Amino acid sequence: MSSTVETKASDYRRLVERIQEGDPSAEGELVESFGAGLLMMLRRLTGNPTLADDLRQETLAVVLTKTRNGEVRNPDALAGFIRSTARNLFLADRRKEKRYGELDPVTEHKAAHAEGQLSKLIRDEEVATVRRLLGELRLDRDRELLIRYYLGDDHPRDICRDLDVDPDRFNRVLFRARKRLRELWRKAEKRKHLHTSALFFVGVLFLFGTSATFVSLSR
Amino acid sequence: MENHPPSADRSSSPEPSSPGPLNHALIEKHDVVGLYVTGRLTPDDSARFEEHYLDCPECIAEIQAAERLQRGLSRAVAQDAARVGLGKMIARALGRPGMAWVAMAALLSVAVGLPTFWMQGRIASLEERLLQAHVDRSIALQPGINTPVIELSPLRGGASSTYSLSLPPTPGWLVFALAPEPMGETYEAILTTAEDRKIWQADGLQPDPAGKIHISFHSSQFEPGIYHLELIAGPAETKAGSTRYRLEILKAAAHP
C-alpha cells in the first residue's frame, strides 16, 4: 500500500516539476488525470452540473497558474491541493451567489449527496435496470438491504442487526449488486450501440440501392 | 455525515478507519464508495476518499454505478409506493361506512346511464325521421293541381336533347312525358347528375297506348344544375338502344 502511495506521490512531484519547466504536455496530463474526478466531486458538491463544469474549469486554471508559479508547497499532495482549491472556489462562489441560499455544514454535506434526490434526472432506463437487478436477487433480505442502505438513514450496523446479516456479507451484497448493475448497464449500452450500427447499415444500404436504381434508370 | 456517529463508534460498520491514504483493497473491504454516495462517511474520510478518486478512473466508475443504483432504487421505490398508495386510497375510501354502497351506486349509474343516454339519442333521431316521413307522405297524398308536365322528345339523328325548366316556387311534382323511339316493350330509366352520379334508376317502364312513358319526380329531389335522364330500351340483357335527355334545372322563379 505504501509503495503505491509513494509511487503516486512521486508521479505528482514529477508532474509539478514538468509543469514548472514549461512542458505543455504535462499541463494536458494534469487536466486529463484530474478533470473527470474533479467534475464528479463538484457535481456532488453543487448539485448543479453546469455550475460544476464552470467550477472545474476555474479550478484547473487556478491550479495550473499556481503550479507554474511554484506556489504548490507540497507537490506530493497535488490531489489534496486540487481538492482544496475546488472547495475554496465553491465556497467563494456560494458566498457571492444567492442561488445557494443559506447552507449550514449539514446542508452542505447533504448537497454533496443530493444527486440521489435529483429525481428529475432519474431515467427510466436506470429504474428498469435496477428493477431487473432486484428481480435477480434471490433473497428478499438482500433486496431490503440494498433499499435500506441506499435510501434510508439507518446505520449499516443497525441494518445488519435488523436483517441478521453478517457485516462481511453486507459488504459482499453491496459490492456484487453494483458489479452486476454495471454489467447490465454495459450490456444495455452494447445493445444500444448494436442497434444504432444496424440502423446506420440499413440506411447506407438503402441509399446505395436508391442511387444504383437512379443511375440504372437514367442510362 | 454529521448525522452519524464518529468513525470510532461504528465498530460493526464497514468503513475505513485507519488514517492515511486509501487503497483499493481498503475501499472495497469497507465499501467506501457506498458510504460516500450515501453520505455516511465522516468529513475526514470523505476528504481522503475525494483526494483518492480525483485521479482514479476505477473509483469514479464505481461512484457513478452507486449513484445510478441509488437513483434507480429511489425512483423504483417511489413508483411502487405511489401504486400502493393509490390502491390503499381506493381501498380506504371503499372501507369507510357507506362508501361501498356509494361506489356501487356510482357504478350502477354509469352502467345504466350510458346505454340510456345512447338510446335517448337514437330515439330522438328516429322520431325526427318518422316526422319527416309523415310530412313527405302527406305531401304525396295531396291531390296534385297545376302539375307541370314536361314533354321530352328525342332529336333525330341520335343527338342529345336539352330541356330547361325552372323549379316550382313551392315544392311539388314534375311529370316528365317521354316519347321514346319504338324500340322495345319495356324500358329502363336512369337519372344522373352532370358528374354522372346516379340518383335514381328504375326498370320495367312501359309506354302508355299513346307510346309515352310518364315519370314523376318531386321537385325537392333537384338542385339547380344539369342532369341526364337516359331511357334504355329492352330488358337489361338485350339493351336494344337508348335515348339520352339533358335537363337543365333552373332556380325557382320568384313570386310575382
Side-chain angles (χ1 to χ4, degrees):
Chain A
M1 170 181 141
S2 59
S3 66
T4 314
V5 174
E6 279 163 19
T7 312
K8 227 174 180 182
S10 71
D11 286 349
Y12 290 158
R13 207 182 310 131
R14 182 72 201 118
L15 189 65
V16 170
E17 283 168 7
R18 281 169 60 209
I19 292 171
Q20 284 171 346
E21 286 162 9
D23 181 355
S25 67
E27 294 191 1
E29 270 178 46
L30 185 140
V31 172
E32 177 99 1
S33 303
F34 292 95
L38 203 50
L39 184 65
M40 163 78 71
M41 190 188 89
L42 286 165
R43 275 175 65 181
R44 295 184 57 78
L45 207 56
T46 61
N48 179 338
T50 314
L51 178 63
D53 198 36
D54 291 348
L55 284 173
R56 175 178 63 162
Q57 303 292 343
E58 219 177 312
T59 305
L60 289 170
V62 170
V63 166
L64 285 172
T65 308
K66 288 197 171 183
T67 311
R68 275 185 224 124
N69 297 341
E71 291 174 45
V72 180
R73 276 172 287 177
N74 181 8
D76 292 2
L78 180 64
F81 174 67
I82 294 173
R83 179 184 171 274
S84 305
T85 307
R87 286 185 73 86
N88 289 340
L89 287 171
F90 161 69
L91 291 171
D93 189 74
R94 197 182 72 177
R95 271 194 291 272
K96 73 180 178 196
E97 294 289 340
K98 285 184 178 174
R99 55 187 152 177
Y100 293 104
E102 293 294 320
L103 292 185
D104 54 16
V106 174
T107 322
E108 182 195 331
H109 175 68
K110 284 198 170 173
H113 66 98
E115 261 176 282
Q117 292 142 23
L118 294 175
S119 56
K120 286 178 187 171
L121 297 176
I122 294 168
R123 286 171 293 185
D124 288 345
E125 186 196 319
E126 280 179 351
V127 179
T129 318
V130 166
R131 281 194 189 283
R132 192 171 161 194
L133 173 82
L134 291 176
E136 284 179 7
L137 292 175
R138 279 176 303 160
L139 300 175
D140 288 345
R141 194 183 56 180
D142 290 351
R143 268 177 236 131
E144 196 181 335
L145 188 155
L146 272 181
I147 291 169
R148 281 184 67 173
Y149 182 65
Y150 277 101
L151 302 183
D153 282 333
D154 297 335
H155 192 282
R157 179 192 53 216
D158 299 333
I159 302 174
C160 287
R161 190 195 58 221
D162 292 352
L163 300 177
D164 195 20
V165 179
D166 181 62
D168 286 340
R169 179 171 162 68
F170 181 90
N171 279 340
R172 265 204 310 278
V173 171
L174 296 176
F175 181 73
R176 280 182 192 160
R178 271 208 308 275
K179 194 177 168 194
R180 179 70 185 125
L181 212 54
R182 283 173 70 176
E183 266 173 44
L184 290 172
W185 276 316
R186 204 181 55 242
K187 278 181 188 168
E189 291 294 323
K190 207 172 168 183
R191 269 201 306 275
K192 219 183 281 177
H193 181 70
L194 272 173
H195 185 69
T196 314
S197 305
L199 276 178
F200 177 75
F201 183 67
V202 169
V204 168
L205 271 181
F206 177 75
L207 278 176
F208 181 75
T210 313
S211 312
T213 312
F214 182 72
V215 168
S216 65
L217 284 174
S218 60
R219 275 180 189 165
Chain B
M1 60 195 95
E2 281 76 7
N3 292 332
H4 300 294
S7 356
D9 191 38
R10 290 187 256 174
S11 51
S12 63
S13 74
E15 64 186 86
S17 51
S18 56
L22 294 170
N23 63 17
H24 284 134
L26 200 65
I27 290 167
E28 194 175 308
K29 185 182 172 196
H30 296 295
D31 188 40
V32 174
V33 171
L35 293 170
Y36 177 72
V37 167
T38 56
R40 287 180 168 100
L41 277 183
T42 62
D44 287 346
D45 287 340
S46 280
R48 284 166 65 204
F49 183 50
E50 280 171 357
E51 282 177 24
H52 168 84
Y53 82 67
L54 273 186
D55 65 337
C56 178
E58 285 172 47
C59 285
I60 291 172
E62 273 291 320
I63 294 169
Q64 280 171 338
E67 284 181 342
R68 292 179 80 177
L69 174 58
Q70 192 182 33
R71 283 200 301 262
L73 275 173
S74 167
R75 179 76 172 244
V77 168
Q79 284 175 351
D80 292 348
R83 274 189 213 122
V84 172
L86 184 67
K88 273 186 181 168
M89 203 170 72
I90 294 168
R92 244 197 333 264
L94 289 177
R96 280 185 199 150
M99 277 307 285
W101 288 107
V102 172
M104 207 177 282
L107 272 176
L108 198 66
S109 304
V110 171
V112 174
L114 274 180
T116 309
F117 182 73
W118 180 80
M119 286 296 286
Q120 271 186 338
R122 182 89 182 121
I123 289 168
S125 156
L126 287 172
E127 277 177 349
E128 198 177 319
R129 283 169 63 181
L130 187 62
L131 184 68
Q132 187 60 45
H134 276 302
V135 171
D136 291 348
R137 186 168 178 269
S138 62
I139 290 171
L141 292 176
Q142 288 291 317
I145 53 164
N146 300 327
T147 305
V149 179
I150 301 105
E151 299 270 352
L152 304 177
S153 307
L155 291 180
R156 300 279 170 205
S160 180
S161 321
T162 300
Y163 293 88
S164 292
L165 66 143
S166 298
L167 289 169
T170 51
W173 292 100
L174 301 170
V175 179
F176 292 94
L178 293 85
E181 299 283 353
M183 288 182 289
E185 289 180 4
T186 59
Y187 292 83
E188 182 187 8
I190 303 170
L191 180 69
T192 56
T193 62
E195 296 80 31
D196 223 25
R197 184 171 58 85
K198 193 186 290 182
I199 52 177
W200 175 80
Q201 182 179 16
D203 207 352
L205 281 71
Q206 288 182 327
D208 64 8
K212 291 194 174 177
I213 291 172
H214 292 90
I215 305 171
S216 304
F217 290 107
H218 199 266
S219 63
S220 58
Q221 275 186 280
F222 294 102
E223 289 289 327
I226 303 295
Y227 295 83
H228 292 114
L229 183 60
E230 190 172 14
L231 203 59
I232 303 162
E237 58 275 13
T238 57
K239 299 228 169 132
S242 72
T243 312
R244 194 174 165 90
Y245 305 92
R246 190 169 183 270
L247 307 174
E248 187 183 14
I249 308 290
L250 305 171
K251 270 197 279 190
H255 281 288

